[in-house]
């Protein structure tokens, strides 16, 4: 064997190890949650940890979807009413935040790139700089503000907070996308007789679609995973999302691991579906052929 | 179709003035080329006509109507961009019909108009393709098609052929010219390629650093360049320039190039002792070995290059580089001193200081 083939084997082995480590890192916790959600409560607390369920059970899922069960001699109530309400809240607030954020970013970033107004760059830097402010520093003033406006525990309140939190990132991303687009496409449309808005909607946005979708995915995932904000601003099931509900399965004398993990696994599903759905529109090479 | 009038047009970016007062009257249906080195302001001038750049000073009018403050979309001017700027997410048909759709032209009429333009440009088989599925030449045609479908008042072209290979460029330039003759639309064509300007235009405008140096029919500009800049800019290889001094005695005028006397007719304003520059194009030198002449330039041959059609001779006279081209393939050895005659009619005389043409 020559030195070269040994070398390339080492390289291959290194790659394999790297990929495995990465997989373990990212998929490991999800597997652990899945395994736990399929394990009987008794097996969960009594035995040494196992890497797969000994007796697969769907009882945790059943409880989430409405069955009563018996655990350690007690009848345990179904959590479907709470679970379904929180799931709906998560979906509604995340979707609303996503749609609003992306819509505002789509127009706002365009203004920051193509319109000239005094202080344009300063305003942009200020908006983006708010990303550096940690959430807890604004939490108390924000809480008082929300009380004043009567927006605690309302969809409007939560959505507004999400939009203000995620807009800077989306704006930044969309600005980069617009900056990379050749101005001559827009100029061609203007000369063809199109106005600014028409050009933005018919020429610029279709070409910026991959950026808009990336912004949508980022915003949705960010909103879906929020914990601190809804913990403070969503005290009841009127707006409480899954992230806040699931930890409440911890009671004073019993931690319901199985139920928590089953709920956690189900909570992963909507974002996965969304990403798969949106990903189909992330067509690469859309810009090819505009020029030369 | 419209006449375009440009008066005292200026453009500044911040403090830097790029266009310094351009006056140009373009007749209805005329094909006019703007030619000049890269960075001289050709694109800027064109974009001001299109309305894509704000005008700092002066006026642009279309058939007498001042359009300085008219938005690009309301100017009824079409432009073919250097990079084509085709809409990548629209098919060829949709690209070409975009402007008509915007004006709410009924679908059958759009189909008819696009169909006609496509037939004219040989694009019929490609109407349902996207720009990325076309070759460079086809994209160029789509860009043309998008402009002609609208039947605009004026066509603007910004170096539309510069991204094509040499052969296609030659083909497209005659196609564009033929198309323009057929449609009769006033056209302003920006190029840095003098062959394009010379072959396509009714008149050419030579620009230099934001100023017009000369406007005229191609051959007029070639035969009678208004100044040294135009003389050297138009023509390839460039015109030879030789510094000399004028001597006037009893109504006759002579230009001394060192020891060589060249007799010439000069206007009276050219005084005795004036410093001038004589210009002669490479193809105007004549070899006449039989009869040595005082007004022949003794050129030391340094190198010869046969191009097939002609022989290019590179040489030197009194420290100046000389380029001459001959069609009859004379046998010239390197290092040889060859007398080259300069017919009076082929000589251009410029003022050395102002560069202005004197004869
Ligand atoms: N947006 C701009 N800001 C500042 N200077 C510019 C701008 N656009 C063009 N220029 C300058 O104006 C001059 C003319 O440019 P341009 O019209 O593009 O030249 P050409 O098309 O003849 O090559 C150049 O020197 C260029 O640097
Ligand atoms: Mg240019």
């Amino acid at each position: 064997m020559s030195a070269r083939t040994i070398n390339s084997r080492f390289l291959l082995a290194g790659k394999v190890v790297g990929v495995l480590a990465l997989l373990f890192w990212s998929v490991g916790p999800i597997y652990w949650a899945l395994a736990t959600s399929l394990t009987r409560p008794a097996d969960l607390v009594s035995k040494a940890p196992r890497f797969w369920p000994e007796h697969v059970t769907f009882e945790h899922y059943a409880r989430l979807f409405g069955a009563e069960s018996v655990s350690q001699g007690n009848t345990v109530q179904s959590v479907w009413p709470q679970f379904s309400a929180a799931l709906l809240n998560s979906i509604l607030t995340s979707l609303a935040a996503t749609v609003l954020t992306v819509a505002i970013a789509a127009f706002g970033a365009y203004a920051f790139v193509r319109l000239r107004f005094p202080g344009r760059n300063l305003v942009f830097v200020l908006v983006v700089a708010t990303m550096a402010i940690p959430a807890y520093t604004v939490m108390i003033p924000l809480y008082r503000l929300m009380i004043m406006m009567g927006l605690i525990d309302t969809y409007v309140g939560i959505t507004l907070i999400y939009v203000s939190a995620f807009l800077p990132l989306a704006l930044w991303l969309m600005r980069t996308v617009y900056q990379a687009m050749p101005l001559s496409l827009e100029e061609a449309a203007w000369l063809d007789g199109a106005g600014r808005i028409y050009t933005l909607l018919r020429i610029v946005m279709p070409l910026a679609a991959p950026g808009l979708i990336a912004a949508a995915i980022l915003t949705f995932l960010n909103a879906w995973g929020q914990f601190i904000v809804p913990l403070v601003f969503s005290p009841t099931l009127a707006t409480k999302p899954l992230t806040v509900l699931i930890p409440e399965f911890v009671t004073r004398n019993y931690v319901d691991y199985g139920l928590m993990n089953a709920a956690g696994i189900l909570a992963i599903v909507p974002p996965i579906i969304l990403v798969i759905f949106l990903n189909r529109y992330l067509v690469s090479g859309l810009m090819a052929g505009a020029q030369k | 179709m419209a006449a375009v009038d440009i008066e005292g047009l200026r453009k500044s970016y911040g403090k830097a003035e790029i266009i310094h007062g351009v006056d140009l009257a373009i007749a209805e249906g005329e094909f006019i080329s703007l030619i000049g080195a890269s960075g001289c302001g050709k694109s800027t001038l064109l974009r001001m006509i299109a309305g894509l750049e704000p005008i700092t000073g002066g006026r642009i009018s279309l058939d007498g109507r001042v359009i300085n403050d008219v938005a690009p979309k309301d100017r009824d001017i079409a432009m073919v961009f250097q990079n084509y700027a085709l809409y990548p997410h629209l098919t060829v048909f949709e690209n070409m019909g975009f402007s008509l759709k915007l004006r709410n032209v009924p679908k059958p009429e759009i189909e008819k108009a696009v169909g006609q333009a496509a037939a004219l440009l040989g694009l019929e088989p490609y109407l349902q393709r996207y720009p990325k599925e076309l070759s460079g030449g086809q994209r160029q045609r789509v860009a043309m098609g998008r402009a002609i479908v609208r039947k605009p008042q004026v066509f603007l072209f910004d170096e539309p052929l510069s991204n094509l290979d040499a052969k296609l460029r030659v083909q497209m330039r005659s196609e564009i010219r033929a198309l323009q003759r057929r449609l009769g639309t006033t056209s302003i064509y920006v190029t840095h390629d003098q062959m394009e300007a010379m072959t396509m235009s009714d008149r050419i405008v030579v620009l230099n650093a934001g100023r017009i140096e000369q406007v005229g029919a191609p051959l007029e500009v070639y035969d009678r360049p208004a100044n040294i800049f135009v003389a050297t800019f138009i023509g390839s290889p460039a015109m030879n320039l030789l510094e000399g001094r004028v001597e006037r005695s009893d109504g006759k005028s002579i230009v001394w190039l060192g020891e060589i006397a060249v007799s010439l007719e000069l206007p009276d304003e050219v005084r005795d002792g004036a410093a001038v520059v004589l210009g002669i194009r490479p193809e105007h030198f004549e070899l006449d070995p039989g009869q040595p002449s005082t007004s022949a330039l003794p050129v030391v041959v340094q190198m010869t290059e046969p191009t097939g059609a002609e022989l290019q001779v590179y040489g030197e006279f009194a420290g100046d580089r000389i380029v001459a081209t001959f069609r009859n393939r004379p046998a010239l050895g390197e290092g040889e001193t060859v007398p080259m005659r300069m017919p009076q009619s082929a000589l251009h005389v410029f003022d050395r200081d102002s560069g202005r043409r004197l004869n």
Side-chain angles (χ1 to χ4, degrees):
Chain A
M1 246 195 299
S2 72
R4 172 171 260 166
T5 53
I6 295 178
N7 229 341
S8 73
R9 279 185 189 205
F10 266 117
L11 221 71
L12 185 67
K15 273 184 200 163
V16 169
V17 170
V19 168
L20 284 180
L22 207 67
L23 267 181
F24 183 73
W25 177 262
S26 56
V27 182
I30 297 174
Y31 172 75
W32 194 254
L34 185 66
T36 308
S37 73
L38 296 174
T39 309
R40 294 188 311 194
D43 297 345
L44 277 172
V45 285
S46 57
K47 299 201 174 158
R50 304 190 69 110
F51 288 99
W52 55 88
E54 209 168 349
H55 309 276
V56 171
T57 172
F58 289 100
E59 62 181 276
H60 305 298
Y61 290 96
R63 270 180 61 208
L64 283 175
F65 286 110
E68 288 188 350
S69 66
V70 180
S71 173
Q72 291 159 332
N74 305 318
T75 312
V76 183
Q77 289 295 313
S78 157
V79 291
W80 172 246
Q82 295 95 305
F83 180 76
S84 57
L87 181 64
L88 189 68
N89 290 339
S90 278
I91 291 174
L92 285 180
T93 51
S94 301
L95 274 185
T98 303
V99 169
L100 263 178
T101 302
V102 172
I104 298 172
F107 286 92
Y110 184 80
F112 277 118
V113 173
R114 294 285 194 239
L115 303 187
R116 298 190 185 285
F117 50 89
R120 180 176 76 162
N121 291 334
L122 181 71
V123 172
F124 181 76
V125 168
L126 286 179
V127 170
V128 171
T130 61
M131 283 196 294
I133 301 172
Y136 50 81
T137 56
V138 291
M139 209 58 104
I140 289 166
L142 195 58
Y143 191 72
R144 300 202 51 170
L145 195 68
M146 285 298 185
I147 286 182
M148 247 163 57
M149 297 194 296
L151 290 176
I152 298 283
D153 210 13
T154 61
Y155 286 139
V156 174
I158 291 288
T159 304
L160 280 181
I161 295 173
Y162 284 173
V163 169
S164 74
F166 305 141
L167 187 58
L169 182 65
L171 262 180
W172 191 8
L173 195 144
M174 287 317 298
R175 191 176 83 135
T176 314
V177 170
Y178 290 143
Q179 274 172 338
M181 296 213 344
L183 180 60
S184 59
L185 286 181
E186 288 163 60
E187 292 177 337
W190 299 336
L191 285 173
D192 267 349
R196 267 222 130 96
I197 300 289
Y198 189 91
T199 305
L200 181 56
L201 293 177
R202 292 302 172 85
I203 303 292
V204 177
M205 283 194 188
L207 297 173
L212 292 170
I213 286 166
I217 289 176
L218 276 179
T219 308
F220 186 87
L221 294 184
N222 255 336
W224 188 263
Q226 276 300 309
F227 178 68
I228 302 281
V229 168
L231 187 67
V232 174
F233 295 95
S234 300
T236 77
L237 274 175
T239 61
K240 185 184 288 182
L242 282 178
T243 44
V244 178
L245 178 78
I246 293 172
E248 289 175 1
F249 296 152
V250 180
T251 55
R252 193 175 318 163
N253 38 28
Y254 180 58
V255 180
D256 199 337
Y257 290 114
L259 191 63
M260 285 171 75
N261 282 295
I265 290 294
L266 291 180
I268 297 175
V269 174
I272 288 181
I273 291 175
L274 186 85
V275 169
I276 290 173
F277 172 74
L278 288 182
N279 209 29
R280 291 175 42 212
Y281 294 95
L282 273 175
V283 195
S284 62
L286 204 58
M287 283 305 295
Q291 307 181 62
K292 296 283 166 71
Chain B
M1 277 139 279
V4 180
D5 274 298
I6 297 170
E7 295 161 86
L9 195 66
R10 292 176 182 280
K11 173 71 191 178
S12 310
Y13 288 110
K15 285 209 172 69
E17 192 170 85
I18 303 295
I19 304 281
H20 315 279
V22 162
D23 295 291
L24 184 62
I26 301 165
E28 193 176 316
E30 196 173 18
F31 192 112
I32 204 156
S33 289
L34 304 179
I35 181 165
S38 179
C40 71
K42 306 180 296 288
S43 296
T44 307
L45 190 54
L46 205 66
R47 292 168 56 80
M48 283 197 280
I49 298 170
L52 298 174
E53 291 291 344
I55 293 166
T56 310
R59 281 199 306 194
I60 300 177
S61 32
L62 217 62
D63 273 343
R65 185 174 64 110
V66 176
I67 55 167
N68 281 29
D69 298 318
V70 177
K73 74 184 176 78
D74 302 321
R75 287 193 185 194
D76 201 11
I77 290 177
M79 180 157 165
V80 176
F81 290 79
Q82 183 172 9
N83 62 14
Y84 312 149
L86 302 180
Y87 312 125
H89 58 304
L90 302 182
T91 62
V92 169
F93 178 87
E94 291 165 333
N95 261 282
M96 287 169 63
F98 187 77
S99 59
L100 299 183
K101 197 174 147 211
L102 267 166
R103 292 186 210 164
N104 297 317
V105 174
K107 190 131 195 262
E109 277 178 50
I110 296 182
E111 273 166 11
K112 193 164 150 240
V114 171
Q116 280 173 352
L120 220 52
L121 291 159
L123 284 172
E124 281 158 318
Y126 310 112
L127 284 175
Q128 293 315 316
R129 292 213 195 163
Y130 286 91
K132 64 166 174 279
E133 299 162 342
L134 300 176
S135 72
Q138 290 164 344
R139 286 178 199 172
Q140 212 287 324
R141 288 203 169 104
V142 177
M144 296 274 306
R146 191 169 63 180
I148 65 175
V149 158
R150 298 170 38 183
K151 302 198 164 56
Q153 298 286 319
V154 180
F155 284 141
L156 305 178
F157 300 88
D158 193 355
E159 309 203 19
L161 304 183
S162 61
N163 291 320
L164 302 182
D165 60 56
K167 194 164 163 233
L168 203 52
R169 206 150 59 209
V170 172
Q171 183 193 337
M172 282 308 294
R173 84 183 177 215
S174 45
E175 275 188 31
I176 291 179
R177 185 52 176 138
L179 201 63
Q180 193 269 345
R181 285 239 166 82
R182 186 162 171 170
L183 302 170
T185 309
T186 313
S187 300
I188 307 176
Y189 187 100
V190 160
T191 179
H192 66 261
D193 180 334
Q194 48 172 300
M195 283 304 283
E196 276 176 25
M198 297 290 288
T199 53
M200 297 171 79
S201 325
D202 293 321
R203 284 191 300 158
I204 68 182
V205 177
V206 182
L207 275 177
N208 177 30
R211 286 195 175 81
I212 291 184
E213 296 282 353
Q214 189 171 4
V215 183
L219 291 182
E220 198 179 302
V221 173
Y222 188 83
D223 291 341
R224 288 185 60 82
N227 51 48
I228 293 181
F229 177 84
V230 177
T232 51
F233 188 79
I234 301 288
S236 171
M239 183 185 284
N240 296 287
L241 297 179
L242 303 158
E243 284 198 18
R245 197 156 284 281
V246 175
E247 183 188 309
R248 307 206 79 132
S249 51
D250 24 291
K252 286 190 172 175
S253 48
I254 292 172
V255 175
W256 285 96
L257 305 170
E259 308 285 285
I260 309 293
V262 181
S263 38
L264 265 181
E265 274 177 40
L266 286 174
D268 296 339
E269 52 169 317
V270 185
R271 283 170 297 103
D272 186 51
V276 296
V277 173
L278 275 195
I280 178 165
R281 296 211 177 269
E283 70 271 24
H284 289 148
F285 282 112
E286 288 174 0
L287 289 180
D288 212 345
Q291 38 173 242
S293 143
T294 45
S295 71
L297 210 60
V299 175
V300 183
V301 175
Q302 291 168 326
M303 190 174 69
T304 58
E305 278 180 353
T307 64
E310 58 193 22
L311 182 76
Q312 294 202 352
V313 179
Y314 298 89
E316 192 225 296
F317 165 75
D320 284 326
R321 212 171 139 72
I322 302 288
V323 183
T325 58
F326 301 102
R327 300 202 62 107
N328 51 1
R329 304 188 184 178
L332 300 175
E334 283 169 25
E336 196 180 330
T337 301
V338 179
M340 295 189 185
R341 288 204 305 119
M342 303 186 288
Q344 231 203 74
S345 61
L347 286 172
H348 309 259
V349 186
F350 304 102
D351 183 79
R352 192 190 65 187
D353 300 320
S354 69
R356 212 163 43 83
R357 181 183 191 90
L358 296 174
N359 68 333

